[in-house]
Amino acid sequence: MELFGNYLMTIIETGGLFAPILFISFHLLRPLFFLPVVFICISGGILFGAVAGTVYSIIGITLSSIIFYGIIRFMPKTFNRLVSMKKKIIGKHSQFTTSQIAVLRLVPFIHFHLLSLCLIQISEGFKDYTKSSLLSNIPLAFVYTSIGKWISNLSPLYIFVFLIALLPLIYLLRKKEIIIKWQDFFQVGT
């Protein structure tokens, strides 16, 4: 992975005017190479600086989310399988808000497109999903590009403290109601 990172940096640094387009295209190709979003955002902060790197990352991440929306809506069986896996992982009745998803995207260990799936389920359509996706991608892009070098040089202890500090935010930004259907509450033996 380190070799691929060095190769990526060399290509973008020598890209000239096409460097932003190359960088955004790496965001789109990221799922194919199983690269974490954090890696690309940190690279953007190192290569382009905080402001330009944040803008390019927001564009790339949002385009990646839109492509995921298009692909997952095109394959309903895969969508249903992913929803059932999400229910097993997160729970049947838990539903996140856009604010919670924005905070969860800051955690590097949570799968990016799993959170995109959560956004698809709470949004009312493509326009609402795109807006929610854009809003939830801004903190991710801003944090990891503006302090990219700082995060990459952190010790594991500081990373652990940062993740523990995020937990109260997830709790405070939660949706305050849970709706349980009558059949789910009173399950008759099956």
Side-chain angles (χ1 to χ4, degrees), residues 12 19-27 40-41 43-44 48 53 56-57:
I12 292 178
I21 295 170
L22 285 171
F23 180 71
I24 291 170
S25 66
F26 278 117
H27 271 291
I40 304 290
C41 289
S43 300
F48 301 110
Y56 299 149
S57 288

Side-chain angles (χ1 to χ4, degrees), residues 26-37 60-72 79 82-83 85-86 90 101 104-105 107-121 129 133 137 140:
F26 278 117
H27 271 291
L28 300 177
L29 296 174
R30 175 196 55 76
L32 299 175
F33 296 116
F34 301 106
L35 292 172
V37 176
I61 294 169
T62 304
L63 286 175
S64 177
S65 297
I66 290 171
I67 289 172
F68 175 75
Y69 182 89
I71 289 172
I72 206 68
F79 177 75
L82 290 174
V83 167
M85 281 185 358
K86 182 197 128 270
I90 298 174
I101 292 172
L104 285 171
R105 285 205 168 156
V107 180
F109 309 113
I110 297 178
H111 196 274
F112 181 80
H113 289 303
L114 174 67
L115 296 175
S116 294
L117 182 70
C118 293
L119 277 177
I120 288 173
Q121 288 186 311
Y129 169 77
S133 181
N137 290 335
L140 169 72

Side-chain angles (χ1 to χ4, degrees), residues 93-142:
H93 302 290
S94 63
Q95 199 173 26
F96 295 120
T97 65
T98 304
S99 304
Q100 280 182 311
I101 292 172
V103 172
L104 285 171
R105 285 205 168 156
L106 292 174
V107 180
F109 309 113
I110 297 178
H111 196 274
F112 181 80
H113 289 303
L114 174 67
L115 296 175
S116 294
L117 182 70
C118 293
L119 277 177
I120 288 173
Q121 288 186 311
I122 63 170
S123 56
E124 296 176 10
F126 177 72
K127 188 176 180 180
D128 188 38
Y129 169 77
T130 304
K131 179 184 170 190
S132 298
S133 181
L134 176 68
L135 291 175
S136 67
N137 290 335
I138 291 173
L140 169 72
F142 176 75

